[in-house]
Amino acid sequence: TAVRRLPAIPASYAPFPEQTDPRLRAALAARGIEQLYTHQALAFGHVLAGRNVVTVTPTASGKTLCYNAPVLDTILKDSSARALYLFPTKALAQDQLAELHALTELAITHGAPEIGVFTYDGDTPSDARRAIRGKAHVVLSNPDMLHSGILPHHPRWAKLFENLRFVVIDELHAYRGVFGSH
């Protein structure tokens, strides 16, 4: 075991990809984000180029924007596009839901259409589940619900699967038992 203290270094920034939707840029600017960290810009560019991306950085380094930015940018340009976000816990999904709602609300104030962002978990009422299948651009769920509530009923989820452009797996961990089997 060792303890090492590294000196602080200045942040490294990069511009948004040129083709970034102006409504997304305006929403991010309203949150004080005028440019991206270099790892965010690299991830954004790779996703827009159709590449798979894994981002491994420390806590609070902006990983969420590595996937939210290209997902929202794509949905703003193509309203049929869909995304499935998978989180290991409902608490993480709820945190991300709040973040996405805040960002999409800002985008709406800058002329964007409504973007449906919903959680789909064991606590989702059955009447809401039907609405989510029809309205959601982004579905936040967990592996257990994917295997027990979505995949066995895949015909009901045709709109999501036919237009699925992104699968985001947040938090790469190894678990044992039933939870780990997902």
Side-chain angles (χ1 to χ4, degrees):
T1 302
V3 175
R4 293 184 184 99
R5 297 203 185 270
L6 302 175
I9 59 172
S12 181
Y13 298 100
F16 286 93
E18 272 186 40
Q19 66 270 40
T20 303
D21 190 285
R23 298 166 293 185
L24 177 60
R25 282 188 197 220
L28 291 168
R31 301 206 55 194
I33 301 170
E34 299 284 345
Q35 56 188 339
L36 299 171
Y37 290 119
T38 52
H39 70 280
Q40 293 169 325
L42 280 168
F44 198 166
H46 283 304
V47 172
L48 293 178
R51 296 185 196 99
N52 296 321
V53 175
V54 175
T55 304
V56 181
T57 62
T59 302
S61 62
K63 285 184 290 292
T64 301
L65 199 54
C66 290
Y67 56 83
N68 279 346
V71 166
L72 294 176
D73 183 70
T74 300
I75 292 168
L76 287 169
K77 293 173 180 170
D78 176 5
S79 63
S80 69
R82 299 292 183 265
L84 176 63
Y85 286 19
L86 297 173
F87 299 93
T89 65
K90 289 194 291 188
L92 282 171
Q94 290 302 315
D95 290 346
Q96 295 304 318
L97 179 69
E99 172 71 19
L100 275 167
H101 274 281
L103 197 51
T104 57
E105 290 300 317
L106 283 171
I108 289 169
T109 65
H110 291 92
E114 189 171 333
I115 297 174
V117 179
F118 301 95
T119 55
Y120 189 83
D121 58 33
D123 295 334
T124 306
S126 58
D127 57 332
R129 292 176 184 205
R130 188 171 25 264
I132 290 169
R133 288 191 296 266
K135 294 183 190 177
H137 290 92
V138 181
V139 175
L140 290 78
S141 193
N142 56 67
D144 185 51
M145 200 62 187
L146 174 65
H147 291 136
S148 66
I150 296 176
L151 293 177
H153 309 286
H154 64 274
R156 294 180 186 166
W157 289 91
K159 188 172 186 177
L160 172 74
F161 289 121
E162 288 172 357
N163 299 291
L164 191 60
R165 298 274 299 277
F166 302 97
V167 176
V168 173
I169 302 172
D170 191 282
E171 300 288 331
L172 295 173
H173 293 283
Y175 293 104
R176 287 189 219 127
V178 174
F179 190 64
S181 69
H182 295 301

